[in-house]
Amino acid sequence: MAGPQPQTSEEKLYRVVAQDLAARLRDLEKLHPRVNALEQAVTEIRYDFREARSEQQEAHRETHAALNAFRRRMDHDNRDTVNALNDTANATTKAITSLTEKVENLARKVAFAAGAIWMVLGIGGLIVMFRTEVLRLVALAIGG
């Protein structure tokens, strides 16, 4: 038996490259479970994002629906308030118009009564001033 034969530089290079490839393959074999775990984590994160996005969209739809309902209710309440204010304004206008007419009628009656009182006072004053002449006229008118 002969001893080990000396290796040429090509054989040494071949051996180093083979050992390097073997070491890299071992590293890749160790890396595969980590890659799978990472892929699984990424898949779970994507699922969580989709789930969160779906929940956010649903919450947005609910908020939008609630906002629209609130807006419709406010519009309805505002319309009711405006209608009530218009009804109050119309009733107030009618009441003021009616009161004005009544005050004008009363003012006419008071003016007529005041005129009648002044006329009676004027006639009475004339009678008092000319009582003797008036009494003679009344006596002549009666026939005596």
Side-chain angles (χ1 to χ4, degrees), residues 50-70:
R50 279 190 215 115
E51 183 97 8
R53 184 171 185 258
S54 174
E55 289 173 3
Q56 182 187 22
Q57 286 175 337
E58 181 62 29
H60 176 72
R61 280 191 288 274
E62 290 173 2
T63 302
H64 191 66
L67 180 62
N68 283 338
F70 176 75

Side-chain angles (χ1 to χ4, degrees), residues 40-55:
Q40 182 66 30
V42 168
T43 302
E44 289 176 8
I45 290 170
R46 283 183 181 160
Y47 175 78
D48 289 344
F49 273 128
R50 279 190 215 115
E51 183 97 8
R53 184 171 185 258
S54 174
E55 289 173 3

Side-chain angles (χ1 to χ4, degrees), residues 2-125:
Q5 294 180 2
Q7 293 182 343
T8 65
S9 63
E10 289 176 6
E11 289 175 343
K12 286 181 184 179
L13 179 63
Y14 175 76
R15 205 167 151 202
V16 169
V17 168
Q19 287 175 353
D20 184 53
L21 284 175
R24 286 181 187 227
L25 284 174
R26 281 192 300 273
D27 286 344
L28 284 176
E29 288 173 356
K30 291 177 187 174
L31 186 63
H32 186 66
R34 283 189 270 170
V35 169
N36 283 341
L38 185 60
E39 286 176 347
Q40 182 66 30
V42 168
T43 302
E44 289 176 8
I45 290 170
R46 283 183 181 160
Y47 175 78
D48 289 344
F49 273 128
R50 279 190 215 115
E51 183 97 8
R53 184 171 185 258
S54 174
E55 289 173 3
Q56 182 187 22
Q57 286 175 337
E58 181 62 29
H60 176 72
R61 280 191 288 274
E62 290 173 2
T63 302
H64 191 66
L67 180 62
N68 283 338
F70 176 75
R71 188 179 301 133
R72 283 190 298 274
R73 189 173 63 244
M74 288 303 292
D75 288 346
H76 180 55
D77 290 349
N78 285 342
R79 264 186 255 118
D80 289 347
T81 302
V82 168
N83 289 340
L85 288 173
N86 286 338
D87 292 346
T88 302
N90 289 338
T92 303
T93 302
K94 287 178 184 176
I96 289 172
T97 303
S98 174
L99 183 62
T100 302
E101 290 171 358
K102 289 179 182 178
V103 167
E104 286 174 356
N105 285 339
L106 182 62
R108 269 188 246 124
K109 289 177 183 177
V110 167
F112 178 77
I117 290 172
W118 279 109
M119 194 168 126
V120 167
L121 287 175
I123 292 173

